[in-house]
Amino acid sequence: MVIVDNISLAKYNSFGISVCADRMLEFENARQLEEYFSKYSSEKYPWYPFSGGNNILLTGNYKGTLIHPVSKRIEIIDSDDKYIYVKAEAGVEWDDFVAWSVDRGLGGVENLSLIPGYVGAAPIQNIGAYGVEAKDTIVNVEAYMVDSNNVVNMSAEKCRFGYRDSIFKHELRNRAIILSVTFRLLREPQFKLGYGDLQKEVAARDGLTLRNVREAVISIRRQKLPDPKVLGNAGSFFKNPVVEKNRMETLLEKYPDMPHYPAAAGYVKLAAGWLIDKAGWKGFRKNNVGVHEKQALVLVNYGGATGKEILEFAGEIKESIREKFGVSIEMEVNIL
Ligand code: EPU
């Protein structure tokens, strides 16, 4: 266990915001968390689970302890005729896990290539891209429960996964620290190429293989999404809004080309990127903050922006979408 006091977070968040935290705990296992929380009770000392800092907007210095996983083991724990069960620890870079799976010919996560972040954060917001979500392969999440000081194994059903959502964003918010995730990967890949240009990108390569799908996804992402190392950002800043069918029908009369996708009965999902684009924000810059020129769902830090500045800018966009379309868009990133 390593504890670092007064740590600069500039390198620990993909928005590249320059703030500090009182303390960061780098942990490897539940025993170390137990040791830490027996010294620093959670009632007295605020804490926050913090992995790659890829989906977070830091609005000021953090007066507490960031709990940061550093364990990076990936191991096969079981198998049957159809599946290989793989347990990855919370500190594994998500894309390293995808590469590991693709290298071994195991299917299920190839569409999720190049998503920034850690394995331990994947279940929290149920990361997703190109028609696949983390929940499709997760079988178990192992978590340390701070209040009761024990380790629980939660089945996928118990995690209550939804679109960019899970129990870890609600009842278990600031109560559970994810230790590892177990995935069920396919011995025989079942390709999902239905989303956007994926099929076309794969066809441009030499055959339908896991490696080619991974490369196609990487290529599409690189074309549309800014590299946080070059331009600070946290991927999609907003979630795609789910609205009642009636609202969509009214909007379609005015905007017949508006993209929409199926959701729960009576509802549809709209593309927040399209709405923000249509409202004229794409490529718009205000001081150090802007809307990415290739994907309107992504807010970028041109350098030196504060979290508050980005949050205010996001508020203006949200308000303008509400005014123009009567649709409320919610943030995908976590605010700390
Ligand atoms: N669109 C525009 N203008 C834009 C952006 C999008 O018109 O500036 C339109 C597109 O033409 C398309 C629709 O909106 O018709 C949807 O766009 P896209 O396929 O790019 O996906 P998205 O809904 O904007 C979601 C995820 C991404 C994920 C992609 C691909 C959310 C919040 N975002 O974006 O996830 O990579 O689908 O599956 O669900 C992330 O969560 O950080 C993220 C990048």
Side-chain angles (χ1 to χ4, degrees), residues 129-130 163-164 195 236 238 240 261 274 277 282 295-296 332:
Y130 309 104
Y163 165 62
R164 294 294 192 278
Y195 191 98
S236 298
F238 297 100
N240 286 328
Y261 313 96
W274 185 91
D277 190 348
K282 196 168 180 168
Q295 164 56 290
E332 198 212 89

Side-chain angles (χ1 to χ4, degrees), residues 54-55 111 115-116 125 127-132 163-164 195-196 220-221 224-225 233-240 257-261 269-278 282 291-298 332:
N54 290 289
N55 199 45
N111 288 30
I115 295 183
Q125 60 150 344
I127 58 171
Y130 309 104
V132 172
Y163 165 62
R164 294 294 192 278
Y195 191 98
I220 298 173
R221 289 186 74 94
K224 283 198 180 167
L225 299 166
N233 76 90
S236 298
F237 194 92
F238 297 100
K239 290 199 270 193
N240 286 328
D257 61 336
M258 180 183 71
H260 51 92
Y261 313 96
K269 199 196 273 178
L270 306 181
W274 185 91
L275 297 170
I276 297 168
D277 190 348
K278 199 78 187 169
K282 196 168 180 168
V291 175
H292 187 49
E293 52 196 9
K294 293 190 192 133
Q295 164 56 290
L297 206 43
V298 177
E332 198 212 89

Side-chain angles (χ1 to χ4, degrees), residues 83-152:
Y83 300 108
I84 303 282
Y85 296 81
V86 179
K87 180 171 164 177
E89 289 183 312
V92 174
E93 281 280 351
W94 172 263
D95 196 52
D96 289 348
F97 169 65
V98 176
W100 184 98
S101 309
V102 167
D103 284 348
R104 283 157 185 78
L106 301 173
V109 288
E110 60 280 1
N111 288 30
L112 305 179
S113 289
L114 210 66
I115 295 183
Y118 285 19
V119 163
I124 299 179
Q125 60 150 344
N126 179 26
I127 58 171
Y130 309 104
V132 172
E133 291 182 320
K135 76 165 171 54
D136 304 337
T137 49
I138 291 176
V139 280
N140 180 68
V141 175
E142 182 193 26
Y144 173 77
M145 308 301 280
V146 175
D147 300 341
S148 50
N149 183 27
N150 65 334
V151 173
V152 295

Side-chain angles (χ1 to χ4, degrees), residues 11-312:
K11 281 196 195 125
Y12 282 95
N13 74 102
S14 60
F15 258 123
I17 288 169
S18 199
V19 290
C20 293
D22 281 356
R23 184 179 291 154
M24 183 181 280
L25 163 72
E26 295 181 353
F27 75 95
E28 281 172 65
N29 50 43
R31 194 181 43 74
Q32 293 178 348
L33 292 175
E34 221 173 274
E35 198 182 314
Y36 172 83
F37 283 107
S38 66
K39 265 197 212 145
Y40 303 99
S41 77
S42 58
E43 292 92 47
K44 266 205 192 145
Y45 296 91
W47 61 275
Y48 191 82
F50 190 89
S51 46
N54 290 289
N55 199 45
I56 198 162
L57 182 63
L58 300 164
T59 56
N61 293 330
Y62 182 62
K63 300 263 149 231
T65 304
L66 298 176
I67 308 282
H68 181 70
V70 292
S71 47
K72 296 187 186 298
R73 227 171 339 173
I74 304 177
E75 58 179 338
I76 294 176
I77 55 165
D78 202 358
S79 64
D80 55 32
D81 290 354
K82 202 169 169 199
Y83 300 108
I84 303 282
Y85 296 81
V86 179
K87 180 171 164 177
E89 289 183 312
V92 174
E93 281 280 351
W94 172 263
D95 196 52
D96 289 348
F97 169 65
V98 176
W100 184 98
S101 309
V102 167
D103 284 348
R104 283 157 185 78
L106 301 173
V109 288
E110 60 280 1
N111 288 30
L112 305 179
S113 289
L114 210 66
I115 295 183
Y118 285 19
V119 163
I124 299 179
Q125 60 150 344
N126 179 26
I127 58 171
Y130 309 104
V132 172
E133 291 182 320
K135 76 165 171 54
D136 304 337
T137 49
I138 291 176
V139 280
N140 180 68
V141 175
E142 182 193 26
Y144 173 77
M145 308 301 280
V146 175
D147 300 341
S148 50
N149 183 27
N150 65 334
V151 173
V152 295
N153 275 296
M154 298 178 54
S155 64
E157 200 191 355
K158 279 211 174 126
C159 295
R160 279 197 253 127
F161 291 121
Y163 165 62
R164 294 294 192 278
D165 202 25
S166 77
I167 194 166
F168 303 105
K169 284 184 130 184
H170 302 280
E171 286 96 310
L172 295 188
R173 191 189 187 93
N174 248 31
R175 291 179 59 206
I177 297 170
I178 294 175
L179 300 167
S180 73
V181 183
T182 300
F183 299 88
R184 197 176 64 176
L185 301 177
L186 285 157
R187 286 176 184 275
E188 280 299 319
Q190 285 169 9
F191 295 102
K192 288 194 183 158
L193 306 178
Y195 191 98
D197 289 341
L198 189 53
Q199 180 104 46
K200 214 166 81 191
E201 275 287 339
V202 175
R205 293 173 163 74
D206 62 345
L208 182 53
T209 62
L210 285 172
R211 203 170 295 274
N212 283 344
V213 173
R214 172 167 166 75
E215 277 173 17
V217 168
I218 289 176
S219 153
I220 298 173
R221 289 186 74 94
R222 288 218 167 112
Q223 284 161 39
K224 283 198 180 167
L225 299 166
D227 178 355
K229 287 191 194 96
V230 180
L231 197 58
N233 76 90
S236 298
F237 194 92
F238 297 100
K239 290 199 270 193
N240 286 328
V242 174
V243 301
E244 287 183 1
K245 268 210 168 107
N246 295 344
R247 160 122 327 259
M248 173 199 69
E249 275 150 18
T250 319
L251 284 168
L252 275 180
E253 282 167 23
K254 206 166 166 196
Y255 309 102
D257 61 336
M258 180 183 71
H260 51 92
Y261 313 96
Y267 292 86
V268 286
K269 199 196 273 178
L270 306 181
W274 185 91
L275 297 170
I276 297 168
D277 190 348
K278 199 78 187 169
W281 287 97
K282 196 168 180 168
F284 182 84
R285 175 172 177 171
K286 185 179 176 189
N287 303 321
N288 300 322
V289 190
V291 175
H292 187 49
E293 52 196 9
K294 293 190 192 133
Q295 164 56 290
L297 206 43
V298 177
L299 302 192
V300 296
N301 174 6
Y302 284 104
T306 64
K308 286 201 176 113
E309 210 176 331
I310 297 175
L311 195 58
E312 251 174 55

